[in-house]
Amino acid sequence: MDFVSIISTTRKYNFHSHTQFCDGRADMETMARAAVACGMRHYGFSPHSPVPVASPCNMSFDAVPAFLAEVARIKEMEEFASCRFYSAMEIDYLGSDWGPHVSYFRELPLDYRIGSVHFIPSQAGEPVDIDGHFDSFKRRMRDHFRGDIDYVVDTFFSRSRDMIEAGGFDILGHFDKVGQNASYFAPGIEDGSHYRGLVQQLIDMIIERKLTIELNTKAREEHGRFFPGERYLPQLVEGGVTIVVNSDAHRPERIEASREEAFSILDRLHA
């Protein structure tokens, strides 16, 4: 995928979306129709990948052939000819034995891969989903992490660095997403030098390796934030990082959510 060529010619793209194959709230054809209706020229379906642990948010291994077949069908539909559709996955990194780098994902006929961290191991080694609503996060902090937010944050960023080292993805997904729930749990944590240092380590890796990242707009309306946070964008732009603006849409009405605001911020930084 030549993301640079695409984003240099149009803003009518979205490379991160979810449907009925994972935790999305609409089927793929409905999402495709909505994408065409709002003028999209490039649109990617990126379900949460299968994982070898129980997860209600991730697609099943058995559903992968049906997902690929449905993308192929949509690509051939004449009514959708104005938009190019892509098959992708948002692939969870669970460690050295599971992530975008493993042969299972490398051998799937995907157009591109998003690498993301949603799960981290508890102190007991159990993979736990730290994404989602804060009420769930708060319970998991109590039930799985002994209330140790520093452990959760440190492990999230450690896993993120490991994923970058392992490679295999084309877009780095919402690389500071842990900050949302962490800051609700421990207000002010993102302003601390330790947290900022962890983010800086990732930014240094991103710039050094010339990675493509997303500016994820999903949480802007409800939580008032982008991923990565606005405070990090100047350094990323100055470092020449390729940034795609994705809405991470789970519903058809959210395909364009807060994308124009994100573009306005990037325009100011590039001026």
Side-chain angles (χ1 to χ4, degrees), residues 63-191:
V64 172
F67 162 70
L68 294 171
E70 183 66 353
V71 178
R73 185 183 75 86
I74 286 172
K75 285 181 178 182
E76 297 301 318
M77 293 178 67
E78 186 174 349
E79 67 177 296
F80 298 152
S82 62
C83 181
R84 184 171 182 178
F85 289 93
Y86 302 92
S87 60
M89 281 187 187
E90 183 178 16
I91 302 172
D92 277 292
Y93 182 84
L94 300 182
S96 60
D97 58 350
W98 196 259
H101 62 290
V102 303
S103 59
Y104 174 79
F105 294 114
R106 287 190 286 108
E107 292 168 6
L108 287 177
L110 300 173
D111 293 308
Y112 61 90
R113 296 153 181 84
I114 301 172
S116 296
V117 174
H118 298 96
F119 295 80
I120 66 167
S122 68
Q123 291 95 328
E126 173 191 10
V128 179
D129 186 353
I130 61 166
D131 200 30
H133 296 294
F134 177 62
D135 54 354
S136 298
F137 179 82
K138 188 164 56 174
R139 287 195 302 271
R140 290 165 185 162
M141 285 297 301
R142 178 195 65 206
D143 296 341
H144 300 282
F145 296 111
R146 308 169 193 164
D148 189 345
I149 192 63
D150 290 332
Y151 170 84
V152 169
V153 167
D154 287 353
T155 306
F156 174 88
F157 284 111
S158 174
R159 280 290 166 105
S160 299
R161 294 192 301 272
D162 290 345
M163 182 177 70
I164 291 174
E165 291 284 359
F169 58 88
D170 303 286
I171 299 173
L172 178 61
H174 47 57
F175 70 76
D176 64 342
K177 197 164 193 289
V178 70
Q180 178 173 303
N181 279 331
S183 63
Y184 285 142
F185 188 85
I189 191 171
E190 291 181 277
D191 296 321

Side-chain angles (χ1 to χ4, degrees), residues 2-55:
D2 186 354
F3 295 108
V4 173
S5 293
I6 291 172
I7 68 176
S8 66
T9 57
T10 183
R11 292 183 170 182
K12 289 296 186 178
Y13 66 81
N14 185 47
F15 297 116
H16 189 162
S17 71
H18 300 280
T19 66
Q20 84 276 18
F21 282 98
C22 56
D23 60 348
R25 297 296 186 264
D27 61 76
M28 286 175 63
E29 186 170 329
T30 298
M31 294 293 279
R33 187 165 286 108
V36 170
C38 64
M40 286 289 164
R41 304 302 302 275
H42 300 269
Y43 193 86
F45 295 108
S46 56
H48 292 288
S49 72
V51 288
V53 296
S55 172

